[in-house]
């Protein structure tokens, strides 16, 4: 098998699932003839036709709501948000209607909402968002945010087959920057399971999506320069969180740094810290620390964006601080 | 002035001649005003051409959005507002011309695109996403349709305070499909806000043609559902745009509420510079360019029907080039933002955020606010306080 990019992994997942199950269809803005703003859905229209690759009006609430209705009827819609920042326009549908459907009305909503997310791309405040925290607080939704090609493909396939609504965030910085060779066959990655991205014994760093790569870089640097053995956990699924994996790494290293690109207050690192506190407090040798974006809308200018978002040097600093604690 | 528009897309079927108000187009405008319209259209086009150069030199940090072929729509509509009365508009991504009419300067635009520290948003927002309420324009956000409810509120305030002011909001054909558009225009209509809603029908929303955006025959038809007047005009005829918008502005000023004006135009460039327009039927762009360029048409009308000397227009062209050259030099010299400026102005109070702990040494937020007194070092004071409690 040839190496493919993160973006191609996503596209392959869509192709394979649409081929496998005729109930799977895609809807979104400019996804057909144009192939999507990032060309993720390129080629889908010619292969599957206009009834299964639907160009919609600029109407995120309708995209999400219509997907829910079709899902009730047994279809498996995959919605594209042109940028994930526009998922806010479908927020009511997702949190009030979709997330509660199974619980309040025994109505299954097997659907996926996916889209390009994240910063480090000079996209400014409305083309760089990481909206996971806005949905983390909504029981009934699942949230996935892959960092690797293998996970992008395997998790999307699992998301499409999942019987509930999965929000599938794709990091646009990773789209064409990372490559991987995947084994032949039906490549599935389970939802709800974290992954050890690097084994270590001294300090654990928990992260996901684009910052995972910065964490790996920092771990490398700390090993070389400080002789530290850093374990890196890639969450992959943010809701439901993999408590077992989190606790296991705490027990192993007793020192935990949580790193995410989203802003700090109310971010997922806070939830992880609380769980560690509840489940593994006695195993800690140091307070859980967070490296996150500052609590500001993400600015456009490179000097500002670089300042607001977590950088490798920050993570190195966090690891050293914990190791020295 | 020719009003013939190319056919081939629905946007192309402009209603030729529909707006020939007696006693003749542009009769209410002085010669200076007519030249003013030309100046703003030319400035818009030339400034965007300069931005393309800067973009190719990678001096524009993010994407670049053009309004090529839509200058008459932006300039003519904004020109119908009365700046002396404090009228306010909210532009969209193709409304550079409208902002220039309201007093935005080429220097501001260039600094903004180049993400400079002295740009109107201090490098926080991109392209023409900025406002200046004092000069009568409120900056947009990316989320389409959102400015309609906002402008409903702006004009509601005019009504409540009995001010003689009018508001104008732009939406594209694509943005008319959003919930915000619907809710905003409906609220404004019910409240009889002094608001003009300009629907710029340029044939496409990104790659999506109008036929996939709406099943309505014409976007102006949406007006009747809200119980407001709707008018559809040739958006590449700057005088027709001005006059139709002016009628709507006058209605709003008389207390007659909201109007919708559909301007039929054409987006000759891609959604942004990176878009290769592969989805556009062959020949469509060329046809609009050769048969229906708003500047060419206006120049023809000014020099033909109005008898204005070509040299008068050439003088304006020279002035435009000079202004843009000066602004470019100055914008290039502008500094990039200081990185910790990012922490200023989230709230009025507190005005500045503390840097996160990993960005500052000892004086970090974590040491000052988050770290328990006993953290790391055993602090007898805290232990005592805890034991006492
Ligand atoms: C709510 C929302 N959804 C999606 C987008 C992404 N988007 C940006 S511009 C655009 C098309 C806009 O078309 P139109 O309203 O016709 O304006 P035009 O670009 O033609 O001037 C889309 C879909 C957005 N900005 N906002
Ligand atoms: Mg449009």
């Amino acid at each position: 098998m040839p190496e493919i990019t993160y973006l191609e992994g996503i596209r392959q997942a869509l192709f394979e699932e649409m081929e496998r199950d005729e109930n799977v269809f895609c809807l979104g803005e400019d996804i057909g003839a144009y192939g999507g703003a990032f060309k993720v859905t390129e080629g889908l229209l010619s292969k599957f036709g206009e009834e299964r690759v639907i160009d919609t009006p600029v109407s995120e609430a309708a995209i999400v709501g219509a997907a829910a209705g079709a899902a009730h009827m047994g279809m498996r819609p995959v919605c594209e948000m042109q940028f994930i920042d526009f998922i806010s326009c479908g927020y009511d549908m997702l949190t009030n209607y979709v997330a509660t459907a199974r619980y309040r009305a025994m109505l299954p909503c097997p659907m996926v909402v996916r889209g390009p997310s994240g910063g480090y791309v000079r996209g400014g405040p409305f083309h760089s968002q990481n909206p996971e925290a806005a949905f983390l607080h909504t029981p009934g939704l699942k949230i996935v945010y892959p960092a690797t090609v293998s996970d992008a493909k395997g998790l999307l396939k699992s998301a499409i087959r999942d019987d509930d609504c999965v929000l599938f965030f794709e990091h646009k910085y990773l789209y064409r920057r990372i490559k991987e060779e995947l084994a032949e066959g039906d490549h599935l990655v389970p939802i709800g399971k974290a992954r050890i991205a690097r084994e270590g014994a001294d300090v654990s760093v928990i992260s996901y999506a684009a910052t995972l790569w910065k964490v790996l870089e920092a771990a490398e640097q700390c090993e070389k320069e400080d002789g530290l053995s850093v374990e890196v956990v890639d969450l992959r699924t943010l809701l439901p969180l993999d408590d077992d994996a989190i606790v296991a790494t705490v027990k192993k290293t007793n020192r935990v740094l949580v790193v995410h690109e989203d802003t700090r207050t109310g971010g997922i690192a806070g939830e992880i810290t609380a769980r560690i506190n509840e489940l593994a407090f006695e195993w800690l040798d140091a307070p859980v620390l967070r490296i996150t974006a500052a609590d500001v809308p993400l600015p456009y200018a490179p000097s500002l964006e670089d300042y607001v978002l977590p950088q490798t040097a920050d993570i190195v600093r966090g690891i050293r601080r914990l190791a020295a604690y | 002035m020719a009003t013939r528009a190319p056919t081939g897309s629905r946007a192309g079927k402009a209603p030729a001649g529909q707006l020939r108000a007696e006693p003749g187009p542009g009769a209410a405008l002085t010669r200076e005003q007519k030249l003013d319209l030309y100046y703003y259209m030319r400035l818009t086009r030339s400034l965007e051409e300069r931005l393309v150069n800067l973009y190719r030199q990678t001096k524009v940090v993010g994407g670049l959005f053009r309004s090529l072929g839509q200058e008459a729509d932006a300039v003519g509509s904004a020109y119908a507002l009365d700046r002396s009365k404090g009228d306010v508009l909210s532009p969209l991504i193709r409304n550079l011309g409208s902002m220039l009419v309201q007093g935005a300067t080429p220097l501001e635009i260039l600094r903004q695109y180049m993400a400079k520290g002295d740009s109107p948003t201090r490098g926080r927002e991109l392209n023409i996403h900025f406002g200046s309420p004092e000069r009568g324009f409120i900056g947009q956000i990316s989320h389409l349709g959102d400015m309609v409810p906002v402008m409903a509120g702006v004009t509601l305030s005019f009504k409540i305070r009995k001010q003689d002011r009018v508001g104008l909001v732009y939406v594209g054909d694509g943005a008319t499909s959003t919930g915000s558009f619907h809710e905003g225009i409906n609220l404004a209509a019910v409240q009889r806000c002094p608001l003009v809603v300009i629907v710029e029908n340029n044939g496409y929303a990104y790659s999506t043609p109008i036929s996939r955006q709406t099943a309505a025959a014409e976007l102006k038809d949406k007006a009747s559902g809200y119980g407001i007047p709707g008018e559809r005009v040739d958006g590449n005829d700057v005088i027709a745009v001005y006059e139709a918008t002016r009628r709507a502005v006058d209605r709003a000023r008389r207390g007659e509420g909201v109007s919708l004006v559909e301007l039929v135009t054409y987006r000759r460039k891609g959604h942004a510079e990176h878009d290769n327009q592969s989805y556009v039927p062959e020949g469509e762009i060329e046809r609009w360019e050769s048969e229906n360029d708003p500047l060419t048409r206006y120049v023809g009308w000014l020099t033909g029907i109005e008898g204005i000397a070509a040299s008068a227009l050439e003088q304006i062209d020279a002035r435009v080039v000079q202004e843009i050259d000066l602004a470019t030099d100055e914008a290039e010299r502008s500094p990039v933002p200081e990185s910790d400026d990012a922490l200023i102005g989230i709230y009025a109070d507190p005005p500045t955020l503390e840097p996160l702990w990993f960005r500052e040494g000892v004086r970090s937020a974590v040491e000052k606010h988050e770290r328990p007194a006993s953290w790391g070092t055993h602090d007898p004071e805290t232990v005592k306080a805890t034991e006492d409690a």
Side-chain angles (χ1 to χ4, degrees), chain A residues 299 304 307, chain B residues 117 121-124 337-346:
Chain A
L304 300 176
Y307 181 82
Chain B
T121 65
R122 295 166 39 180
R124 292 155 189 218
E338 292 292 332
S339 56
D340 55 4
D341 191 61
L343 300 182
I344 297 172
I346 321 299

Side-chain angles (χ1 to χ4, degrees), chain B residues 148-167:
Chain B
V148 183
V150 172
M151 288 306 293
V154 165
T155 51
L156 185 63
S157 84
F158 298 163
K159 193 187 115 184
I160 292 170
R161 291 169 161 172
K162 302 194 171 31
Q163 293 173 334
D164 184 22
R165 300 169 80 183
V166 170

Side-chain angles (χ1 to χ4, degrees), chain A residues 30 34 50 57-59 85-86 88 123 126-127 264 287 290 292 296 300-301 303-304 307 309 314 317 321 325, chain B residues 61-62 113 123-125 142-143 177 205-208 212-213 337 339 346 357-360 367 370 375-376:
Chain A
D30 307 291
Y34 192 62
E50 285 189 353
V58 182
S59 306
D85 310 60
F86 305 124
S88 51
F126 307 111
H127 290 79
R264 185 180 64 152
R290 294 179 284 175
T292 65
V296 305
Y300 162 57
S303 57
L304 300 176
Y307 181 82
L309 292 181
D314 302 323
R317 194 159 180 195
R321 186 175 194 137
Y325 187 88
Chain B
V61 174
Y113 261 109
R124 292 155 189 218
E125 252 281 35
S142 297
H143 291 60
S177 299
Y206 212 140
S207 75
T208 304
R212 286 191 177 265
Q213 199 63 241
S339 56
I346 321 299
W357 65 269
F358 48 88
R359 285 299 168 78
E360 279 267 348
E367 255 122 350
E370 296 176 340
W375 185 34

